[in-house]
Amino acid sequence: MHEQSSFVLSEVEGRRRRRPSNSLRANVLLLGCALLAGCRAQSEPASFPPAGRDVAPIVSDAFSTEDVRDRVGEFEAVVAAAEVKPGMSVADIGAGEGYYTVRLSPLVGIRGRVLAQDIVPEVRDRLAERVQREKLDNVAVRLGEPSDPSLPPSSLDRIFLVHMYHEVTDPYAFLWHLIGGLRQGGEVVVVDADRPVKRHGIPPARLKCELAALGLSLQRFERLPGGDSYFAAFRIAAPRPAPAAIKPCAMPE
């Protein structure tokens, strides 16, 4: 008991001897305030430019029946143009019922990975059930947010946005977060329709402009069979700008 009391007393005396001066305490307080202000600034949400164009509503989680899509041959054309190979890690954003997800799984093989994401919990749950039912062990299903797909950083060779980009409500915020998931040499692959956004498409010139605002450069473009759909692949060509420094497109749709 005596030893414990002596220890407490010696600590008190030590603190008294080491008590900082008024000026030192003031500097410490100022530094603490500065650090606290910095933490608060970092916790505030970033400010991204608005879409500046129409945004199509989500009308259905099913683009078309899978048999019809198979007959058109879009998937085969897209993965060939995207140069998908075994062992790749790919993401299917806005995966819906999983048309692309379940077909990408055998293509990337047991050493590859497929991340399927949707923002609607019920759709995500149905897709997870399908993945489990079909025993697709290389597929992970996640719930994303409208402006942030929540991808693991620097991990993906291909990110697929299939017939969904025109439904993104905050495209600049969405793309800013999205490209953080690309690994070096990775590509963002957009499949959409060459028609106005109100008619559930996006003109290629507008798409190219919006992705360029985030430092993405068009690498390959081709028309797809069976209608007005197209394929466009983009790579990072410039550093990702700070949210406040993004220059939105000033062009008609």
Side-chain angles (χ1 to χ4, degrees), residues 57-62 93-97 116-128 141-146 148 164 167:
I58 301 175
V59 294
S60 173
D61 54 86
I93 307 300
E97 298 288 346
Q117 184 257 48
D118 205 278
I119 64 171
V120 181
E122 295 81 4
V123 175
R124 184 275 315 267
D125 293 345
R126 288 199 298 272
L127 177 55
V141 181
R142 290 187 181 179
L143 184 69
E145 299 178 6
D148 184 357
M164 57 77 66
E167 297 174 349

Side-chain angles (χ1 to χ4, degrees), residues 40-218:
R40 285 176 177 169
Q42 290 177 2
S43 64
E44 292 176 357
S47 178
F48 291 92
R53 59 164 170 81
D54 292 324
V55 175
I58 301 175
V59 294
S60 173
D61 54 86
F63 172 76
S64 179
T65 66
E66 297 198 1
D67 287 343
V68 170
R69 297 180 79 174
D70 283 342
R71 287 198 295 271
V72 171
E74 179 195 279
F75 175 79
E76 289 77 8
V78 167
V79 294
E83 300 174 353
V84 176
K85 297 179 176 62
M88 279 187 167
S89 293
V90 303
D92 182 13
I93 307 300
E97 298 288 346
Y99 177 82
Y100 267 69
T101 296
V102 301
R103 288 159 177 78
L104 284 167
S105 174
L107 279 183
V108 299
I110 58 173
R111 295 186 178 181
R113 294 292 180 269
V114 180
L115 174 59
Q117 184 257 48
D118 205 278
I119 64 171
V120 181
E122 295 81 4
V123 175
R124 184 275 315 267
D125 293 345
R126 288 199 298 272
L127 177 55
E129 291 172 0
R130 180 178 185 180
V131 166
Q132 185 175 15
R133 184 171 62 251
E134 298 188 19
K135 299 180 179 180
L136 305 177
D137 296 333
N138 61 349
V139 176
V141 181
R142 290 187 181 179
L143 184 69
E145 299 178 6
S147 60
D148 184 357
S150 303
L151 301 176
S154 305
S155 61
L156 296 162
D157 299 294
R158 300 288 185 271
I159 300 175
F160 287 88
L161 311 177
V162 180
H163 298 294
M164 57 77 66
Y165 182 72
H166 53 266
E167 297 174 349
V168 176
T169 54
D170 297 297
Y172 297 108
F174 173 81
L175 290 170
W176 192 90
H177 291 105
L178 180 94
I179 61 180
L182 281 178
R183 62 173 45 144
Q184 187 174 4
E187 294 183 346
V188 176
V189 174
V190 180
V191 178
D192 222 305
D194 186 1
R195 54 177 180 254
V197 175
K198 288 182 178 180
R199 296 179 51 220
H200 289 269
I202 187 163
R206 179 79 195 193
L207 176 72
K208 182 179 177 182
C209 180
E210 291 186 4
L211 271 66
L214 275 298
L216 293 163
S217 175
L218 181 65

Side-chain angles (χ1 to χ4, degrees), residues 227-238:
D228 52 6
S229 295
Y230 62 83
F231 163 98
F234 297 82
R235 283 193 181 187
I236 296 174

